[in-house]
Amino acid sequence: KQEVTQIPAALSVPEGENLVLNCSFTDSAIYNLQWFRQDPGKGLTSLLLIQSSQREQTSGRLNASLDKSSGRSTLYIAASQPGDSATYLCAPLQGGSEKLVFGKGTKLTVNP
Amino acid sequence: EPEVTQTPSHQVTQMGQEVILRCVPISNHLYFYWYRQILGQKVEFLVSFYNNEISEKSEIFDDQFSVERPDGSNFTLKIRSTKLEDSAMYFCASSVRWAPLGNEQFFGPGTRLTVL
């Protein structure tokens, strides 16, 4: 059964810092992996999808990497802003399945 | 930009009552999903739906749950007899193609279900 762990659980940084959020998963048989942000009491906003055959995917200040064989993905946020404050979730798409399996997320606070 | 919409945003019901949660997926999407998130816990998959059939369901999705696409735009989740433990945020999602082919799942804003 796929288990997804995100470290750290919470992170507080000053505005302008570059930061890395980590995601690990136990079953490397995945089709792809999505990163989402969730604002308090709100839905999930898809940030990036990275295919299992890709190593990296970029969107603006965000860069996601994937090392499928070691069961790891990272989300790099450059030049963080207070508006980046949210919970970030990673979710691999399980092989042989259509379901995303979510971690508990990393709660990011960017202080002005 | 097209988005998934869900109604109502908040539903309060008494234990044992039936509820129907509604979703309007993005218009050209063919694959539909329900997930839920109990407060403070992970988002969990419930069911996927394609071509008017359930294509996959989790162990959570028991006989108390059903899904339907009653017309060309709506996608519904029905809980027949709600329990206290059904209290959660329910998210609808959709994708253009079969997700393993590489399409993102796009999520709605959620319906918060509170069972008293």
Side-chain angles (χ1 to χ4, degrees), chain A residues 57-73:
Chain A
Q57 186 68 259
T58 298
S59 176
R61 295 183 292 109
L62 305 179
N63 177 277
S65 70
L66 176 63
D67 184 343
K68 199 175 87 147
S69 60
S70 68
R72 291 181 186 173
S73 178

Side-chain angles (χ1 to χ4, degrees), chain A residues 44-61:
Chain A
L44 309 178
T45 301
S46 180
L47 299 173
L48 286 164
L49 178 142
I50 183 164
Q51 301 283 10
S52 61
S53 58
Q54 293 179 305
R55 300 284 292 187
E56 283 190 10
Q57 186 68 259
T58 298
S59 176
R61 295 183 292 109

Side-chain angles (χ1 to χ4, degrees), chain B residues 36 38 83-88 90 115:
Chain B
R36 78 174 186 188
I38 294 170
K83 307 182 184 89
L84 295 176
E85 55 265 34
D86 294 328
S87 293
Y90 288 80
V115 182

Side-chain angles (χ1 to χ4, degrees), chain A residues 98, chain B residues 31-33 47-50 53-57 98:
Chain A
E98 297 171 63
Chain B
Y31 293 83
F32 313 115
Y33 313 88
V47 67
S48 59
F49 189 86
Y50 168 71
E53 288 185 353
I54 290 173
S55 47
E56 185 175 353
K57 62 183 180 179
W98 188 46

